[in-house]
Amino acid sequence: ATSNTSAPTSTSKSTTILTPPAQSQYALPVSNFLTGQTKKVFGQYITPQNSPIQPEKFTGYHTGVDIEEDQNDVDVPVFAISDGTVKFSGKVSGYGGVLIYETTINNETVTILYGHIRLSSATKSVGEEVSKGDKLAVLGSPYFSETDGERKHLHFSIHKGSAIEYRGYVQNQSELSNWISSDDVIK
């Protein structure tokens, strides 16, 4: 479901990271993907009581990884990890801005979701091709509509198949088999 709520938008102050870091067969989705703080990992069961983020509004098994970004006054770009085609760009409740593209990983069609982005910064539209390392957008500003009121971070998930899947949490652990852990792809 999409959210059409109006909230203040932010303006960027500077951009410091201009090129994506290369990482073996795949590019990193954000420059600090391997070194940054991760508060929620793939498959972690989250509740309002046990969440490392408070207050927490979700319950379930986390379908992606959250990479934290504490540089709130800096534009932080997100990058395509591989070649593909943009399938969705828009607002989604729980994320704010979302960009999803379809690609192939290990000979399997997947969709990759980038959540909590500033949609006005998106460099590609639905149907356009992306190449490994392309800048796709920047992370949204914290506590604005572009992050659906959340902190500044990237929710990054890889879903098997070509269907667009927005869920950041699933209720049954067995449903996680429809996603691929980024740890199995980007090392």
Side-chain angles (χ1 to χ4, degrees), residues 11-151:
T11 57
S12 62
K13 295 182 181 165
S14 66
T15 300
T16 58
I17 304 166
L18 300 176
T19 58
Q23 183 63 23
S24 66
Q25 183 179 353
Y26 301 101
L28 298 177
V30 286
S31 64
N32 69 339
F33 192 79
L34 297 175
T35 59
Q37 186 178 24
T38 303
K39 292 192 177 176
K40 295 180 186 176
V41 297
F42 177 80
Q44 182 178 7
Y45 188 71
I46 300 290
T47 69
Q49 293 75 34
N50 76 0
S51 178
I53 304 299
Q54 294 296 326
E56 177 63 63
K57 52 187 170 183
F58 300 107
T59 296
Y61 294 93
H62 199 235
T63 62
V65 61
D66 286 357
I67 303 297
E68 304 302 313
E69 183 52 64
D70 58 6
Q71 297 183 65
N72 290 334
D73 60 342
V74 174
D75 282 344
V76 176
V78 298
F79 303 102
I81 67 164
S82 60
D83 299 348
T85 304
V86 176
K87 303 283 279 184
F88 176 84
S89 180
K91 283 192 172 188
V92 175
S93 180
Y95 293 111
V98 169
L99 187 135
I100 298 173
Y101 78 93
E102 183 178 298
T103 189
T104 302
I105 292 178
N106 298 329
N107 298 315
E108 182 175 9
T109 299
V110 299
T111 55
I112 299 181
L113 182 143
Y114 294 76
H116 309 292
I117 64 164
R118 181 180 306 145
L119 287 174
S120 64
S121 71
T123 62
K124 304 287 184 177
S125 300
V126 172
E128 287 190 301
E129 300 293 318
V130 300
S131 296
K132 174 185 172 183
D134 281 355
K135 177 183 170 185
L136 299 175
V138 299
L139 291 179
S141 295
Y143 313 109
F144 282 89
S145 63
E146 50 195 36
T147 58
D148 200 38
E150 294 274 334
R151 68 205 186 280

Side-chain angles (χ1 to χ4, degrees), residues 136-174:
L136 299 175
V138 299
L139 291 179
S141 295
Y143 313 109
F144 282 89
S145 63
E146 50 195 36
T147 58
D148 200 38
E150 294 274 334
R151 68 205 186 280
K152 185 174 187 171
H153 71 285
L154 173 66
H155 175 92
F156 178 81
S157 64
I158 305 169
H159 186 260
K160 296 177 182 179
S162 60
I164 293 176
E165 177 60 73
Y166 304 112
R167 289 183 294 169
Y169 299 86
V170 293
Q171 297 310 302
N172 299 305
Q173 191 171 21
S174 63

